[in-house]
Amino acid sequence: MDVVIYHNPGCGTSRNALALIRHAGIEPHVIDYQTCPPSRELLAEMIERMGMAVRDVLKVKGTPYEELELGNPALSDGQLLDAMMAHPILINRPIVVSPLGAKLCRPSDMVLDLLPEKPLADFVKDDGEICLRDQEIAGTDAGLATALRDEGLPTGDLSDPGRRFHAYRTLSGEIVGYAGYELHGEAAFLRSLVVLPAWRGKGAGKAIVARLARRAFDEGAQTAWLMTTS
């Protein structure tokens, strides 16, 4: 499989995405976009292919974003692209392209969407967080209901309209937990989040929230709220 990663070796997320591609047995084309940025036309094409807004691909921290006043909503996509061409550090990373699509892989395990799905050994990121796959499930899923009941969390509204749920597994297939969300305009309410007892204290909750929030973002959410019983 031909895979291209626009990489920043100084970024932990980018390093983890690259390591995951190699973990899957694929040696990608690695492009350091700071020294060899994509052309303006190619960048615009990749952003369109990712289904993202140009503004959502801008990196804010550690860049001249504030100095250039790129937060101004009046700026056009063309002006934002011009800024990214002049200052490649403004391009968020890593962007990965494969025959299965293109994606800004934040969190890094989103790169799994672009790779063949096959059993792999478990993978731990360089910050100690476990890498997870997510699988959309129905609100009627027995494992979801059991896990929530065991923790005294509500189950009576799981089948109501507008709720999306996922099961989370390690790369070797072991179930780690469950979570869901519901969209209300640009707000995503994260809910029904439960980590199975054997996986607590290992960063699984953080990994689940990161993946869940990204799924909601891809459907238009701009703000996330975590619903709790307290």
Side-chain angles (χ1 to χ4, degrees):
M1 174 180 276
D2 193 21
V3 176
V4 179
I5 178 170
Y6 290 88
H7 178 55
N8 179 347
C11 169
T13 300
S14 196
R15 292 194 303 271
N16 282 320
L18 176 57
L20 267 169
I21 297 169
R22 289 171 170 161
H23 185 70
I26 297 169
E27 183 55 42
H29 302 283
V30 181
I31 299 174
D32 186 335
Y33 69 89
Q34 295 180 94
T35 59
C36 187
S39 69
R40 188 180 190 278
E41 293 73 20
L42 178 58
L43 179 59
E45 179 184 321
M46 288 193 297
I47 293 172
E48 182 177 5
R49 191 176 176 191
M50 290 190 291
M52 300 180 73
V54 174
R55 182 170 294 282
D56 290 334
V57 183
L58 281 170
K59 186 174 186 296
V60 177
K61 294 181 180 179
T63 74
Y65 180 93
E66 297 291 349
E67 176 187 342
L68 297 173
E69 299 182 348
L70 297 179
N72 181 355
L75 293 176
S76 68
D77 286 351
Q79 289 171 306
L80 298 177
L81 286 168
D82 288 342
M84 286 190 270
M85 289 296 94
H87 306 276
I89 192 63
L90 286 165
I91 303 172
N92 214 336
R93 76 283 176 162
I95 294 174
V96 179
V97 182
S98 88
L100 297 178
K103 189 177 286 289
L104 174 61
C105 294
R106 305 188 65 87
S108 57
D109 39 13
M110 299 302 292
V111 76
L112 295 170
D113 290 356
L114 304 177
L115 305 177
E117 186 164 346
K118 60 181 181 179
L120 294 171
D122 288 340
F123 181 89
V124 177
K125 302 177 188 180
D126 58 9
D127 63 355
E129 182 182 294
I130 189 75
C131 178
L132 299 178
R133 294 188 189 274
D134 60 353
Q135 175 188 4
E136 189 161 0
I137 57 174
T140 54
D141 183 89
L144 168 65
T146 298
L148 293 175
R149 277 197 299 268
D150 286 349
E151 300 304 320
L153 296 172
T155 59
D157 62 347
L158 297 180
S159 297
D160 288 358
R163 288 143 175 77
R164 305 281 293 275
F165 298 99
H166 291 80
Y168 296 85
R169 291 179 171 83
T170 64
L171 299 191
S172 61
E174 185 173 350
I175 191 77
V176 168
Y178 300 89
Y181 65 88
E182 50 191 87
L183 293 179
H184 297 270
E186 292 187 346
F189 287 85
L190 311 185
R191 50 161 299 145
S192 306
L193 196 159
V194 59
V195 176
L196 299 187
W199 286 95
R200 292 174 192 166
K202 300 179 181 180
K206 176 184 174 184
I208 288 172
V209 168
R211 284 198 68 114
L212 188 67
R214 175 56 193 270
R215 294 297 186 199
F217 170 81
D218 285 343
E219 291 193 24
Q222 292 293 315
T223 305
W225 303 82
L226 178 63
M227 299 177 71
T228 74
T229 54
S230 59

